[in-house]
Amino acid sequence: MSLATTFSRALLGIEAIEVRVETHLSNGLPGFAIVGLPETAVKESKERVRSAILNSGLEFPARRITVNLAPADIPKAGGRYDLAIALSILQASGQVIEASLAQRELLGELALDGSVRRVTGALPAMLAAQARQRRLVLPIANASELSMLETAQADCIGSLLELVEHFVQGRQLSALSALSSIPPSPEATPVLPELSQIRGQAMAKRALQIAAAGGHNLLFIGPPGSGKTLLARSLIGLLPDLTEAEAVELAVINSVAAHPFSPPSWRQRPLRSPHHSASAVALVGGGHRVSPGEISLAHRGVLFLDELPEFKPGVLDALREPLESREITVSRASYRVCFPANFQLLAAMNPCPCGYAHDLQRTCRCSAERIRAYMGKLSGPLLDRLDLMIEVPALAPAELLEPRQDTTDWSAVRTRVAACRERQLSRGGQLNC
Ligand SMILES: [Zn+2]
């Protein structure tokens, strides 16, 4: 047979789209061409595939090879098709004769020695393959990001030769379920709020509870050292765990972003706190190879922006649309992708550039004009989306030395927050925010 087809998956946003890899061997001058809108990294796959096949002790056919990646209108990037291309060449040249390849999808970048390297977006590819009732073969390096899913079914390989030996000699592949050493634990240890460690600030703590219960956006204004950052970071501990479906949704975004995924944080809500020098693309997503930004990585969790006025105005303005629509659409000339971005915004800022306006113990050195310019960095529409604005005053030295700690039972508060959220969801189908 000189014609063969294998299946792989392209990545478009968080969607994994089926790609047919068709290979035709014809007579004529030996050559190797890949067609079907491949980008540079895919074109380079010719060299990787050739070396990997030869270094695995197999034969690279000395014929005219045409590989077509269909559908042609989807942009194809990265080395994720290497494995599928190699297998279709081996099948077309009769080195692998396997009918079950039609029930398989192949994903993996080949190294020159024939080993298989990890790819981005393995999780959406596996979910899409399962929906088509095909079994995915993927690099063993991707196994950990799929191991948390109870329903995950895939085969993991370390090299091209392993897969060829499976088809030719019936060698057993390592199934994903056998590899997952960490069982999914719905009762993962919740991050208990660190709020009891913070002295005073009763008002700010109350605001945090309200924000946690209603999913409201919150801004803390206060001098340096008043505990704004610590307060804001403890919000995550008050929020209920993610449901299984929400956790999968978040894991898919992390998989696409090639973000290291740690199984213990499964079902925990994310907290993302980008530095104020972050660009608009880093925050909302985009770039040459469209990838999710901080707001999508904070999906179903908290995006914390410390020193809010220090962010570039264009960066903050880019947040307005996703705050409203809870998703972000990135458009390119020939396609557009949509990332979910349902996050809760938490921000902190000083009351003035020096930080000590309204402080009773220190003197503010800023002119009225400077304070106005500082506050003016925040646009009206952005401030409008911050539901709660709370002043966090500096504590007096006597308060800091006070021996009595916060005695609130914060795990009880966490339970109340969860119950309150449930009531809102059953009443209106969404939070009150
Ligand atoms: Zn000042």
Side-chain angles (χ1 to χ4, degrees):
M1 182 169 51
S2 58
L3 189 66
T5 304
T6 53
F7 297 97
S8 190
R9 291 267 161 193
L11 200 57
L12 203 59
I14 53 168
E15 272 180 87
I17 296 161
E18 183 185 290
V19 169
R20 290 169 68 97
V21 179
E22 300 161 348
T23 296
H24 180 223
L25 302 186
S26 55
N27 295 327
L29 276 179
F32 190 174
I34 299 181
V35 295
L37 209 62
E39 289 185 5
T40 318
V42 183
K43 285 183 188 150
E44 287 166 354
S45 121
K46 286 190 275 192
E47 307 307 321
R48 290 192 298 270
V49 168
R50 187 200 310 269
S51 300
I53 289 181
L54 291 173
N55 287 325
S56 303
L58 300 158
E59 190 198 327
F60 191 80
R63 298 177 68 184
R64 190 180 177 78
I65 305 170
T66 311
V67 173
N68 180 33
L69 306 177
D73 55 349
I74 296 171
K76 301 173 188 77
R80 55 199 296 114
Y81 312 103
D82 289 3
L83 192 61
I85 293 174
L87 252 292
S88 73
I89 290 176
L90 292 174
Q91 198 178 24
S93 61
Q95 297 177 75
V96 171
I97 299 165
E98 184 59 47
S100 73
L101 259 176
Q103 276 83 52
R104 296 256 183 199
E105 293 194 0
L106 310 166
L107 209 59
E109 180 180 329
L110 287 173
L112 298 185
D113 64 355
S115 56
V116 184
R117 295 199 170 120
R118 69 174 295 141
V119 293
T120 53
L123 183 53
M126 192 208 63
L127 295 172
Q130 274 183 341
R132 283 280 282 151
Q133 278 152 12
R134 295 208 190 104
R135 198 173 168 89
L136 185 69
V137 177
L138 81 170
I140 201 154
N142 280 102
S144 66
E145 70 185 89
L146 310 183
S147 61
M148 295 308 293
L149 270 182
E150 251 175 278
T151 52
Q153 281 187 344
D155 291 315
C156 302
I157 55 164
S159 68
L160 172 65
L161 194 59
E162 260 179 60
L163 188 61
V164 173
E165 283 178 353
H166 165 72
F167 289 133
V168 176
Q169 300 160 3
R171 175 182 167 162
Q172 203 70 26
L173 294 179
S174 338
L176 188 68
S177 50
L179 287 168
S180 52
S181 50
I182 308 140
S185 55
E187 278 84 43
T189 15
V191 221
L192 273 176
E194 298 161 13
L195 285 160
S196 54
Q197 307 296 320
I198 305 170
R199 306 248 167 136
Q201 308 296 13
M203 175 77 159
K205 288 178 181 177
R206 178 80 188 129
L208 275 180
Q209 292 180 40
I210 295 168
H216 304 296
N217 300 325
L218 171 65
L219 172 65
F220 281 138
I221 305 172
S226 56
K228 303 187 295 285
T229 308
L230 195 56
L231 278 164
R233 284 181 178 275
S234 4
L235 173 70
I236 209 82
L238 286 177
L239 299 173
D241 281 343
L242 294 168
T243 63
E244 186 72 21
E246 288 171 338
V248 172
E249 208 179 358
L250 187 66
V252 164
I253 299 172
N254 278 297
S255 173
V256 171
H259 194 259
F261 177 74
S262 62
S265 63
W266 183 251
R267 302 196 64 169
Q268 262 177 29
R269 286 179 193 265
L271 169 73
R272 303 291 303 182
S273 46
H275 187 252
H276 59 71
S277 60
S279 68
V281 167
L283 207 63
V284 300
H288 173 57
R289 267 193 213 172
V290 181
S291 58
E294 292 288 339
I295 59 168
S296 297
L297 294 170
H299 182 57
R300 307 259 178 220
V302 173
L303 178 74
F304 175 50
L305 302 182
D306 206 355
E307 308 290 354
L308 189 64
E310 302 299 331
F311 281 82
K312 292 181 211 82
V315 172
L316 292 181
D317 284 342
L319 285 178
R320 281 157 47 182
E321 187 209 328
L323 271 170
E324 202 64 35
S325 60
R326 313 218 163 261
E327 60 181 24
I328 178 87
T329 307
V330 182
S331 296
R332 289 287 177 268
S334 55
Y335 62 96
R336 48 192 283 168
V337 299
C338 184
F339 292 114
N342 186 1
F343 62 96
Q344 190 173 351
L345 178 63
L346 224 75
M349 64 183 284
N350 294 332
C352 68
C354 86
Y356 297 109
H358 320 303
D359 196 315
L360 300 177
Q361 285 133 43
R362 303 213 204 187
T363 328
C364 170
R365 289 178 282 108
C366 311
S367 64
E369 189 50 46
R370 257 190 98 197
I371 296 181
R372 207 171 304 128
Y374 182 73
M375 300 303 276
K377 286 184 184 174
L378 306 179
S379 69
L382 180 71
L383 287 174
D384 192 48
R385 285 171 176 83
L386 290 161
D387 311 300
L388 294 160
M389 289 187 207
I390 305 295
E391 218 165 308
V392 185
L395 289 184
E399 271 180 289
L400 282 171
L401 293 170
E402 219 172 72
R404 199 176 63 88
Q405 292 244 340
D406 186 336
T407 51
T408 319
D409 181 359
W410 286 104
S411 33
V413 172
R414 190 172 188 270
T415 317
R416 277 212 303 278
V417 166
C420 179
R421 281 185 163 228
E422 249 164 57
R423 274 201 297 280
Q424 295 171 55
L425 290 174
S426 63
R427 184 177 55 217
Q430 57 173 26
L431 295 179
N432 288 351
C433 57

